[in-house]
Amino acid sequence: MSIRKITEYPAEVLGKVGKPVTEFGEELQKLCDDMFETMYDDEGVGLAAPQIGLSLRLFVMDCEGIKLIAANPEIIETSGEQSGQEGCLSVGKVPAVVVRPDKAKLKAQDVNGEWFETEAEGYAARCFLHETDHCDGKLFIDHLPKMRREMVIKKFKKEKKLYG
Ligand code: NI
């Protein structure tokens, strides 16, 4: 296993719709092991392939007791609304309040290509939505009004300058 370099905003790959995952099994498991290790190292709860520079529809997460690998993820149902803080390893974890559905149902393939569906609410649902967005070339800041988006980017750039 190895820790991969996190791709940061405004890298082009973060804004691209990922390619579908077509190869399953051992190689994919190895990639996901690296993604988990990278995510834990950076104290994240989710990590999508574009965040390590791979334009692929794939994410891993370990959030509120839900640990999974999601290849070719789709959000097939949402309900309710929640407002809460969110951050992203690709934007220096600068937090911002994002309004999202409170419940979300995820459909995806596991490491062996088997389709599964699973539901979550609250923070774990937020994670499903945030990571699936990554696979579609979308960042959490894209959900923010222009002024707040610019504030997050400004803060991220400033902290990057200060701490490298
Ligand atoms: Ni993120």
Side-chain angles (χ1 to χ4, degrees):
M1 285 200 286
S2 58
I3 293 168
R4 306 285 189 107
K5 190 176 185 308
I6 301 267
T7 304
E8 290 183 321
Y9 176 87
E12 197 188 345
V13 66
L14 294 172
K16 274 169 56 177
V17 177
K19 291 188 200 85
V21 175
T22 54
E23 306 276 332
F24 298 90
E26 208 178 316
E27 284 302 308
L28 186 62
Q29 183 66 57
K30 276 187 198 158
L31 171 60
C32 291
D33 288 345
D34 281 2
M35 288 171 67
F36 273 117
E37 201 181 354
T38 305
M39 179 186 86
Y40 292 133
D41 182 64
D42 223 351
E43 292 170 5
V45 293
L47 186 78
Q51 295 185 273
I52 55 163
L54 299 173
S55 188
L56 263 185
R57 296 183 50 79
L58 174 71
F59 75 77
V60 300
M61 76 176 253
D62 188 352
C63 178
E64 299 205 313
I66 302 178
K67 183 177 177 180
L68 54 79
I69 289 169
N72 302 319
E74 283 169 53
I75 300 296
I76 53 170
E77 229 176 272
T78 59
S79 64
E81 192 180 283
Q82 60 169 318
S83 177
Q85 282 215 334
E86 204 169 312
C88 180
L89 300 181
S90 293
V91 195
K93 293 195 259 185
V94 174
V97 172
V98 185
V99 177
R100 300 255 194 199
D102 186 48
K103 289 186 181 168
K105 193 187 260 185
L106 172 77
K107 183 184 175 191
Q109 283 167 285
D110 69 14
V111 77
N112 296 312
E114 295 294 325
W115 285 96
F116 66 92
E117 287 179 20
T118 183
E119 247 176 318
E121 59 183 313
Y123 196 52
R126 183 176 286 281
C127 195
F128 283 176
L129 295 158
H130 179 118
E131 301 310 330
T132 302
D133 272 356
H134 271 303
C135 298
D136 293 328
K138 217 169 165 187
L139 295 176
F140 82 109
I141 51 174
D142 297 329
H143 291 279
L144 300 175
K146 192 166 180 272
M147 284 275 285
R148 286 185 35 228
R149 181 167 64 234
E150 281 169 3
M151 271 172 61
V152 170
I153 293 166
K154 208 173 147 189
K155 198 165 174 215
F156 166 57
K157 285 185 177 162
K158 196 175 160 191
E159 286 182 2
K160 207 172 146 67
K161 214 184 246 170
L162 286 174
Y163 310 113

